[in-house]
Amino acid sequence: MKILLIASGGDAPGMNKFIAQMQKKFGNSLYACKGGFKALYDNEIYPIRLFDVQPNRNSAGCCIKSGRFAEFKQRKYFNKALENAKRFDYVVVMGGNGSKKGVKELSDNGVKAIFVPATIDNDVEKTDYSIGFHTAVAMVCFAVRNVMPSMDAHNRGCVFEVMGRHCPAIAQNAAKILQADVLVENKEQLKIDEIAQKIKKNRKKEHSSIIIIRENIVNAEDLTQQLNQIIGEKAVMHFVVGHLQRGGRPTSVELKMAKQFAHAAIKAIKNQQSGVAVAFENGKTVLQNI
Ligand code: F6P
């Protein structure tokens, strides 16, 4: 049996654990595309032993390389990728909603394919969890907890811009855990005067302020400048948490989830299921039809 592994979209902490579990189970039967669906199209496919899997099993990143390939939706690109996929008994794809659609297309065209949710954004349909999310939230908490003591010494506010593309899950969770003073999840919640008043009020009490804002709403630097114009110079600073969230060492919860997801994918292969997605539902890892 020949199994092909693909990581599509942004990398997510925990992907390496998933890959390592798959290697442990399938050994030399396992192959990987070096860099997402683009590599499937280019036939950049290698045996898993040529990748640095085991030394990286508990680290972030993606040892088989991940990648975005918007062209995959176009027939001519898809058809060539499909030809290459058909040389394998199984194709397992880690990624987000776009990758899930890709898995459905492959499956509808005769490839035995399995989807595994893996994106820090936790915005994959029909699953409560996707690999990477727990670590992303933990890294936001790490950043905030390591910046705020310095802000506190000057009663400053700090705007933390966090990833999530258009999904507020990371921002919401981190804000809740950290008891942020302000959370901005969408454009409607961006009320600059209200944020300024909150920071001013806290300054009067000799307190700092945590402002968490989801990316793609407003530029954090511009917002900080506007707040400083209202409150006063250097009353507010900003910190773009950015790729610290993706590069952060996977938490123990993450490693456990990635392992569970790998067991589910292995089970699907054993049962010869195709067109299925691994998902986390009501606290359980399950397999769903796509
Ligand atoms: O989808 C994961 C994600 O990290 C988003 O949160 C973010 O908007 C995007 O990827 C960043 O992508 P890139 O690393 O290609 O800039």
Side-chain angles (χ1 to χ4, degrees):
M1 178 151 70
K2 281 169 81 181
I3 299 159
L4 180 63
L5 205 50
I6 302 175
S8 166
D11 54 287
M15 276 183 166
N16 279 334
K17 188 59 149 191
F18 182 89
I19 298 165
Q21 283 297 118
M22 295 294 283
Q23 186 188 34
K24 210 170 147 195
K25 179 69 191 170
F26 297 111
N28 289 335
S29 304
L30 190 65
Y31 293 75
C33 278
K34 193 174 184 179
F37 283 122
K38 168 87 166 63
L40 182 61
Y41 171 78
D42 288 333
N43 204 19
E44 283 239 33
I45 298 171
Y46 305 98
I48 199 74
R49 65 181 153 74
L50 298 184
F51 298 88
D52 250 353
V53 179
Q54 295 306 328
N56 286 305
R57 65 190 182 280
N58 296 321
S59 306
C62 180
C63 64
I64 61 170
K65 311 284 181 194
S66 187
R68 304 186 201 279
F69 187 49
E71 292 86 346
F72 192 66
K73 286 185 227 134
Q74 294 174 36
R75 253 309 121 185
K76 66 171 182 175
Y77 291 96
F78 177 78
N79 285 345
K80 191 174 163 233
L82 179 67
E83 255 176 58
N84 294 331
K86 280 193 167 160
R87 292 190 286 112
F88 291 85
D89 300 296
Y90 259 100
V91 176
V92 179
V93 182
M94 293 179 273
N97 282 320
S99 320
K100 192 172 180 181
K101 285 199 187 103
V103 168
K104 169 110 179 77
E105 267 314 293
L106 287 172
S107 169
D108 288 349
N109 283 278
V111 174
K112 279 199 180 130
I114 297 169
F115 170 74
V116 180
T119 163
I120 62 163
D121 302 338
N122 207 26
D123 61 349
V124 180
E125 54 176 32
K126 294 192 198 154
T127 179
D128 295 337
Y129 194 77
S130 65
I131 292 176
F133 178 65
H134 195 269
T135 309
V137 173
M139 291 312 291
V140 174
C141 293
F142 171 84
V144 172
R145 293 168 71 199
N146 282 279
V147 168
M148 286 316 289
S150 169
M151 298 296 131
D152 205 49
H154 304 269
N155 305 323
R156 279 175 177 155
C158 191
V159 174
F160 293 90
E161 182 189 297
V162 309
M163 277 187 173
R165 201 177 292 273
H166 301 292
C167 176
I170 297 175
Q172 280 169 345
N173 274 265
K176 204 168 167 190
I177 293 164
L178 297 159
Q179 297 180 282
D181 298 279
V182 179
L183 164 66
V184 184
E185 303 169 44
N186 52 50
K187 284 202 168 87
E188 292 69 48
Q189 286 177 350
L190 183 66
K191 298 191 172 112
I192 296 175
D193 280 322
E194 280 179 25
I195 300 173
Q197 289 320 312
K198 178 83 196 166
I199 298 169
K200 263 183 164 175
K201 216 168 137 190
N202 282 347
R203 278 168 78 78
K204 266 199 182 138
K205 288 190 272 180
E206 301 191 344
H207 287 171
S208 55
S209 308
I210 302 172
I211 299 106
I212 295 190
I213 168 159
R214 196 250 300 156
E215 66 177 351
N216 296 320
I217 293 177
V218 64
N219 179 292
E221 191 174 353
D222 292 349
L223 172 62
T224 303
Q225 256 180 28
Q226 290 181 58
L227 290 169
N228 278 328
Q229 270 163 18
I230 302 171
I231 311 167
E233 211 191 323
K234 276 198 156 181
V236 187
M237 312 209 91
H238 72 279
F239 188 92
V240 178
V241 188
H243 288 81
L244 185 66
Q245 289 157 96
R246 295 229 303 256
R249 195 176 341 137
T251 62
S252 48
V253 170
E254 199 74 76
L255 297 175
K256 193 173 143 216
M257 291 304 294
K259 230 172 140 179
Q260 274 183 31
F261 280 17
H263 289 157
I266 291 164
K267 191 171 154 197
I269 294 172
K270 220 170 123 196
N271 295 339
Q272 305 240 333
Q273 287 172 272
S274 175
V276 291
V278 173
F280 196 63
E281 238 180 32
N282 304 321
K284 282 198 179 117
T285 300
V286 296
L287 288 163
Q288 300 168 338
N289 290 325
I290 298 178

